[in-house]
Each structure stands twice: as structure tokens, then as C-alpha cells.
């Protein structure tokens, strides 16, 4: 069965990665795009060879699409997901799921009640590098993980210097943009959840309107592991990385906090250094493949709606920690479901 996708949002991320990812599936088709401007919808549909376009959400949801990919600005994800669930459409939503974890939980509940699949587009779980690190930890290759460090300070490309640095009401700021990804990647790779977070933010000259464009966090995880993250929109030459240090060895990954299947992972132990090999599949194509499997009832999305609640709860706690100068307890308030 073909999965007919409708795009909610005439966005950059859909144009750069997600339309191709859908089209790379043997059973995936992009049939429509919806924008808040009918004119933009038309132009976007033409540019990307999408046969139908809508300037209205109800029209898209009233059509024969099976699933929607939501990549509008962050304040719109809540209402669009609730409406899609009500219309019986599967939902793959961009991160952050919403502006608050309370709203994100409503989205998860609505999709669950409607019996549709919900996923969060945390692409980094799909990177071969992160899956290789997760496997190495599970296989005990670094012993007991003690500490992790995420380096995700980058320079926001000029074409993305819009709502992210000017519109708090749209969910701008580096914490909702990047820290959510670190949070999800740490949870995925470590197989562990954070319990507490401290943070400091900065406005280094790019973001306006009281928004932060740099942040460092420090977290404690359930196992006792401690982790630090550094995210920025203003750092041009740092490069990205991810390290996990255990009792018996360390995993040192470079250039892996990225949208492309690139980078390296080195395992360092008393025996020396070993470069781990991993697959180089496109991250977004893999996310789509797993989402299609979830629609068929064979698997879960690579990041579920609940994972999106977790990453947002962590980001929310980071913002509160920075605002108050206190260490904040992280609680996604997710009820266990049979
Ligand atoms: P864009 O700024 O490209 O698009 C967001 C919205 O802005 C669109 O839905 C569109 O509204 C509006 N818009 C776009 N172009 C114009 C224009 N020329 N004039 C007026 N409005 C315009 O955002 P991104 O693609 O960067 O991000 C979208 C979402 O995806 C966010 O939630 C973000 O966090 C997430 N994201 C996720 C990534 C990942 O790897 N998982 C990477 C990048 C982003 P309309 O649809 O109404 O036309």
C-alpha cells in the first residue's frame, strides 16, 4: 500500500530533506502541500513537483492523504497535530513538538486516542554513528558509562536567520532548536533518562527579543552519569562532536551532530584506538522507512511522540534552570501505557 503524504508547512527542511526522504521509499508519495498562504503553497508545489496544494488545513485534512509531516514554526504544531489526529491521519511532527511539554503530551494523547501513529522527527537517532555508539555501550565496550559531552555549537546559516532568532512566540531560541536534539540523542545512545539539569544561556549578538543564541547545560542521569551540552547559533569554527567516557573506555565521535550521514566514531581503550564502522544511510530516509513500518504495525517510529515529550521537557527544564539559576528536576509526566 502506498502511503500518501501531505506536507503541513512549505518549509526549508521539507524542501532540503523530507520530500526526498518520502520519495526514496518504495511505498511513499508526496501528494499535497499546505501553506498558510495559497500563493506560497502554489509556488512551493510547482518548485517541488507536488501535484496538489492547499492554503487551508481543513482542505488538506479532508483529502485522501494517509499521513502528514508537520514542519511549520513551532507554535503551530499543537493545533495542526490535534486536527490531523481528529481527521485520522498519521502524524510525523518536527521538534520541538510544541512550546510546552504539557501541549506535547496533549498531542501524544490525541494521536493515541485516534489510533494514529505519531513520531517526532529527531533525525539524529537514525545516524549510523549514534547507533554504533549505542551498540558499543550495550555490548559493554566502555564498561559503565560515567560522563558524556555533546558539542553542538554551530553557526546558524543566513537563510535560517529568521523566526529562530526573532520570534519568541514562534518557539525561537537555541534551546528549543538544538538542545532538544542533544537531549534526545543522549537518551537514545545511553538508554538512560536525565533526572536533573542546570544551565546558563547567552545572547551573543545574533538573537533578539530576549531569545538566547547560546547555552551550556549540565545534567544528571538515572544511572548517575553526568552530561554536558553546548549549543549555539553563533560559533563558526568549533565543529560538532559527542563523547562518552566509561570505566573501561571512551567513545569519541566527531562531526556527528549534523543532518548528513558523516563523521567518525573512535573507541579508545587500554588496547588502543579502533575506528567503528557504521552505515551511511540518509538519516531522514531511515526515519521515514521506520515510520512506514510503524504504520504497518511492524515497528515504532524511530523517535515516538513520547520521545518528543521527553526532549521538550528537558529543554523546558534547561530554560527554567537558566532563568532561575537553580537546578531543575526533569519530569516528562508520561503515564505508563500497556
Ligand atoms: P522555515 O522557516 O523554512 O519554514 C517554517 C514556516 O515559515 C513555513 O511553514 C512557512 O509557512 C513559513 N515561511 C517559509 N518561507 C516563507 C516566506 N518566504 N515568507 C513567509 N513565510 C515563510 O523553517 P524550517 O524548515 O527551518 O523549520 C521548520 C520546522 O522544522 C521547525 O519546527 C524546526 O524546528 C524543524 N526543523 C527540524 C530539523 C530536523 O532536522 N529535525 C531541521 C530544521 C528544522 P507556511 O507553511 O504557512 O507557508
Amino acid at each position: 500500500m502506498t502511503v500518501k503524504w501531505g506536507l503541513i508547512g512549505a518549509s526549508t527542511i521539507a524542501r532540503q530533506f523530507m520530500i526526498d526522504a518520502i520519495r526514496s521509499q518504495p511505498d511513499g508519495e508526496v501528494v499535497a502541500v499546505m501553506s498558510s498562504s495559497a500563493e506560497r503553497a502554489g509556488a512551493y508545489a510547482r518548485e517541488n513537483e507536488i501535484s496538489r496544494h492547499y492554503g487551508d488545513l481543513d482542505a488538506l485534512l479532508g483529502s485522501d492523504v494517509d499521513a502528514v509531516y508537520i514542519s511549520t514554526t513551532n507554535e503551530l504544531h499543537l493545533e495542526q497535530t490535534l486536527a490531523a489526529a481528529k481527521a485520522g491521519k498519521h502524524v510525523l511532527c518536527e521538534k520541538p513538538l510544541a512550546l510546552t511539554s504539557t501541549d506535547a503530551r496533549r498531542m501524544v494523547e490525541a494521536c493515541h486516542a485516534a489510533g494514529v501513529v505519531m513520531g517526532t522527527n529527531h533525525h539524529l537517532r537514525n545516524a549510523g554513528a549514534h547507533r554504533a555508539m549505542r551498540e558499543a555501550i550495550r555490548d559493554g565496550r566502555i564498561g559503565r558509562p560515567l560522563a558524556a559531552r555533546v558539542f553542538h555549537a554551530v553557526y546558524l546559516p543566513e537563510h535560517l536567520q529568521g523566526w529562530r532568532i526573532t520570534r519568541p512566540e514562534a518557539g525561537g531560541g537555541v534551546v528549543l532548536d538544538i538542545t532538544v536534539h542533544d537531549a534526545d540523542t543522549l537518551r537514545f545512545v545511553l538508554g538512560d533518562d536525565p533526572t536533573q539539569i542546570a544551565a546558563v544561556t547567552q545572547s551573543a549578538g545574533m538573537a533578539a527579543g530576549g531569545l538566547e543564541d547560546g547555552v551550556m547545560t549540565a545534567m544528571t542521569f538515572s544511572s548517575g552519569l553526568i552530561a554536558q551540552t553546548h549549543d549555539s547559533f553563533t560559533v563558526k569554527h568549533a565543529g560538532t562532536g559527542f563523547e562518552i567516557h566509561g570505566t573501561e573506555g571512551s567513545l569519541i565521535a566527531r562531526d556527528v551532530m549534523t543532518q548528513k550521514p558523516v563523521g567518525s566514531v573512535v573507541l579508545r581503550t587500554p588496547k588502543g584506538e579502533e575506528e567503528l564502522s557504521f552505515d551511511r544511510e540518509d538519516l531522514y530516509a531511515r526515519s521515514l522507512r521506520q515510520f512506514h513500518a510503524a504504520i504497518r504495525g511492524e515497528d515504532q517510529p524511530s523517535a515516538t511522540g513520547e520521545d518528543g515529550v521527553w526532549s521538550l521537557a528537558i529543554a523546558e527544564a534547561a530554560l527554567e534552570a537558566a532563568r532561575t539559576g537553580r537546578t531543575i528536576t526533569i519530569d516528562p509526566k508520561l503515564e505508563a501505557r500497556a
Side-chain angles (χ1 to χ4, degrees):
M1 189 199 86
T2 301
V3 181
K4 293 191 201 121
W5 282 89
L7 308 181
I8 299 181
S11 70
T12 308
I13 177 73
R15 190 177 60 234
Q16 286 186 330
F17 291 100
M18 292 301 284
I19 293 173
D20 285 348
I22 293 169
R23 287 178 175 157
S24 74
Q25 308 303 311
D27 54 350
E29 201 183 334
V30 182
V31 298
V33 59
M34 176 254 149
S35 159
S36 59
S37 142
E39 200 187 330
R40 204 158 53 237
Y44 194 92
R46 273 191 304 283
E47 265 171 45
N48 296 287
E49 298 177 356
I50 299 168
S51 54
R52 280 183 274 144
H53 55 90
Y54 300 98
D56 173 69
L57 183 62
D58 290 341
L60 174 80
L61 294 177
S63 76
D64 62 349
V65 301
D66 304 304
V68 294
Y69 166 59
I70 299 176
S71 62
T72 47
T73 46
N74 303 328
E75 83 286 14
L76 300 173
H77 298 174
L78 167 67
E79 292 307 328
Q80 290 167 341
T81 297
L82 297 184
K86 201 167 162 200
K89 313 296 183 188
H90 303 293
V91 176
L92 177 57
C93 185
E94 268 307 339
K95 46 46 68 171
L97 284 184
L99 300 188
T100 67
S101 56
T102 304
D103 285 349
R105 276 193 299 277
R106 281 181 65 197
M107 294 158 71
V108 170
E109 285 308 320
C111 288
H112 180 69
V116 297
V117 174
M118 180 178 174
T120 308
N121 204 29
H122 277 307
H123 62 292
L124 289 167
R125 282 179 178 238
N126 297 287
H130 297 305
R131 285 183 290 120
M133 292 173 85
R134 177 179 158 100
E135 208 171 297
I137 290 170
R138 277 186 169 177
D139 292 347
R141 300 190 75 188
I142 61 165
R144 183 163 59 91
L146 300 173
R149 307 198 284 208
V150 179
F151 313 101
H152 206 159
V154 297
Y155 190 75
L156 187 67
E158 223 162 276
H159 71 276
L160 294 182
Q161 291 180 22
W163 58 269
R164 278 180 179 76
I165 54 166
T166 54
R167 293 188 57 214
E169 70 284 5
V174 76
V175 173
L176 290 184
D177 200 47
I178 301 185
T179 310
V180 286
H181 280 313
D182 301 349
D184 185 67
T185 308
L186 281 163
R187 287 186 62 239
F188 173 72
V189 171
L190 294 166
D192 195 1
D193 295 323
T195 55
Q196 288 206 308
I197 190 164
V200 286
T201 55
Q202 70 179 164
S203 297
M206 182 187 281
L211 285 172
E212 80 290 344
D213 53 26
V215 60
M216 290 191 180
T217 75
M219 296 178 229
T220 306
F221 279 67
S222 301
S223 65
L225 174 138
I226 52 175
Q228 66 181 45
T229 67
H230 178 201
D231 305 319
S232 171
F233 286 155
T234 63
V235 173
K236 285 184 176 160
H237 306 293
T240 71
F242 186 13
E243 297 176 355
I244 303 172
H245 305 288
T247 50
E248 316 296 328
S250 287
L251 288 163
I252 316 275
R254 287 290 177 263
D255 198 19
V256 294
M257 304 307 289
T258 168
Q259 295 177 293
K260 300 267 173 67
V262 296
S264 63
V265 182
V266 168
L267 171 66
R268 189 181 293 159
T269 66
K271 285 188 219 147
E273 290 198 345
E274 176 191 342
E275 180 149 354
L276 303 187
S277 66
F278 51 86
D279 77 64
R280 303 281 170 167
E281 183 176 0
D282 180 271
L283 282 57
Y284 298 92
R286 187 175 185 280
S287 166
L288 253 292
R289 181 153 53 76
Q290 208 158 318
F291 196 88
H292 280 201
I295 291 177
R296 293 194 302 273
E298 294 165 8
D299 207 338
Q300 295 257 10
S302 50
T304 59
E306 283 85 351
D307 291 318
V309 172
W310 258 107
S311 63
L312 181 51
I314 296 165
E316 212 169 40
L319 286 169
E320 190 185 342
R323 195 173 56 245
T324 59
R326 290 173 23 230
T327 298
I328 303 296
T329 299
I330 297 164
D331 181 3
K333 299 194 180 75
L334 286 166
E335 281 168 29
R337 201 177 275 141

